[in-house]
């Protein structure tokens, strides 16, 4: 028998007992890092805003109905909107309605059904996290209200409203606080009761606030509505768009409601 050894196959080295040596270790190190939280939150906000705009019921609530109410309020003189420029009064009231529709009614219904279907629980365990998810919902409300602001201002201008930069600037604090307060109230409702009850309650409250909450029409009981977030929001927007002034009293009422609603949501909101 020849003493010559058997040549190893190309590209493979012989290990002990004639076995092939193991190849290079598989590198499972992740390539890249997760997106920063602010970017994940913005993406979530954009996703939720797009979903809302593609939903026919949400679109009716957030854009179609406010536009109809705005045109009717400007064109119909039989309804008393108060003292001041009628298009400005109508725009202020309808902007308040738009904020309540988007931040409270729409957000409560969407969050309630997300909670029932397990979406909240799933997203809360994702890299987005609970804080990012809630911030994304607030960001979606801000995006939708910005769209409403542009559309309603354009419609009001076509109906005779004359824009004033000072008035719009004075309205910003009321819009920000109104969005925050009603979003927190929406999360409180959606996170504590069943989805079907949330749907009924959110729509019922919307009708009540539209009829007598001081959003569009002057309230017959101003002492009561001035203490409500709807009345404070309506008064602050009317003061901004008709008098070009920041209404400190209504803003303080909105701030108090915001603090109370945020604290209550943090205490009682349930993810499932």
């Amino acid at each position: 028998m020849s003493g010559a050894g058997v040549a190893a196959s190309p590209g493979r080295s012989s290990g002990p007992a004639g076995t092939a040596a193991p190849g290079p270790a598989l590198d499972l190190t992740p390539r890249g890092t997760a997106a920063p939280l602010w970017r994940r939150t913005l993406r979530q906000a954009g996703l939720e805003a797009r979903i809302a705009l593609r939903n026919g019921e949400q679109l009716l609530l957030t854009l179609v109905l406010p536009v109809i109410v705005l045109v009717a309020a400007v064109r119909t003189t039989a309804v008393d909107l108060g003292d001041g420029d009628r298009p400005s009064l109508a725009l202020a009231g309808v902007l308040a309605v738009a904020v309540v529709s988007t931040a409270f009614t729409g957000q409560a219904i969407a969050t309630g059904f997300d909670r029932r279907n397990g979406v909240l629980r799933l997203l809360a365990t994702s890299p987005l996290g609970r804080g990012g998810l809630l911030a994304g919902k607030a960001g979606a409300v801000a995006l939708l209200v910005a769209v409403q602001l542009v559309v309603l201002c354009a419609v009001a201008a076509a109906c005779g409203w004359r824009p004033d930069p000072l008035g719009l600037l004075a309205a910003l604090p009321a819009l920000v606080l109104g969005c925050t307060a009603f979003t927190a109230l929406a999360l409180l409702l959606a996170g504590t009761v069943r989805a079907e009850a949330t749907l009924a309650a959110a729509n019922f409250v919307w009708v009540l606030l539209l009829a007598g909450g001081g959003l569009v029409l002057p309230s017959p009981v101003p002492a009561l509505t001035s203490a409500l977030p709807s009345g404070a929001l309506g008064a602050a927007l009317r003061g901004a768009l008709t008098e070009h002034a920041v209404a400190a009293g209504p803003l303080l009422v909105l701030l108090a409601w915001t603090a109370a609603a945020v604290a209550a949501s943090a205490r009682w909101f349930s993810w499932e």
Side-chain angles (χ1 to χ4, degrees):
M1 189 171 180
S2 171
V6 179
S9 59
R12 178 178 299 188
S13 58
S14 298
T19 59
L26 183 61
D27 184 9
L28 298 179
T29 305
R31 302 296 183 184
T33 57
L37 179 59
W38 65 267
R39 187 177 298 172
R40 282 175 274 160
T41 301
L42 284 179
R43 288 176 179 172
Q44 181 67 22
L47 173 64
E48 297 217 12
R50 289 193 299 272
I51 291 174
L53 290 175
R54 290 172 183 170
N55 185 298
E57 182 181 349
Q58 291 267 13
L59 194 62
L60 176 68
L61 187 67
T62 58
L63 278 179
V64 178
L65 285 179
V67 167
I68 293 175
V69 173
L70 174 60
V71 174
V74 173
R75 299 299 186 192
T76 304
T77 57
V79 179
D80 181 21
L81 299 181
D83 298 328
D85 178 58
R86 190 172 186 85
S88 297
L89 289 170
L91 177 59
V94 174
L95 280 177
V97 172
V99 168
V100 174
S101 300
T102 300
F104 178 72
T105 310
Q107 191 58 244
I109 295 171
T111 304
F113 281 94
D114 281 349
R115 175 173 171 247
R116 188 193 69 174
N117 296 331
V119 176
L120 289 185
R121 184 177 65 251
L122 177 64
L123 290 178
T125 59
S126 71
L128 182 64
R130 296 187 175 190
L133 175 59
L134 296 180
K137 287 185 173 295
V141 169
L143 290 174
L144 291 172
V145 170
V147 172
Q148 291 173 311
L149 179 63
V150 172
V151 172
L152 292 175
C153 284
V155 173
C159 292
W161 175 63
R162 294 295 174 260
D164 188 293
L166 290 178
L168 292 174
L169 189 62
L172 285 180
L175 290 173
V176 171
L177 283 175
C179 287
T180 308
F182 280 103
T183 300
L185 289 170
L187 294 178
L188 177 61
L189 175 64
T192 53
V193 301
R194 292 171 37 238
E196 292 78 9
T198 297
L199 174 64
N203 283 310
F204 182 65
V205 169
W206 184 84
V207 172
L208 284 182
L209 294 182
L210 180 62
L215 292 173
V216 180
L217 304 176
S219 171
V221 190
L224 173 62
T225 54
S226 62
L228 296 176
S230 57
L233 178 60
L237 288 175
R238 281 189 290 272
L241 295 182
T242 60
E243 302 173 10
H244 308 154
V246 175
L251 290 183
L252 289 176
V253 172
L254 281 175
L255 185 60
W257 275 95
T258 299
V262 168
S265 297
R267 172 65 180 83
W268 287 298
F269 186 88
S270 174
W271 293 85
E272 55 183 287

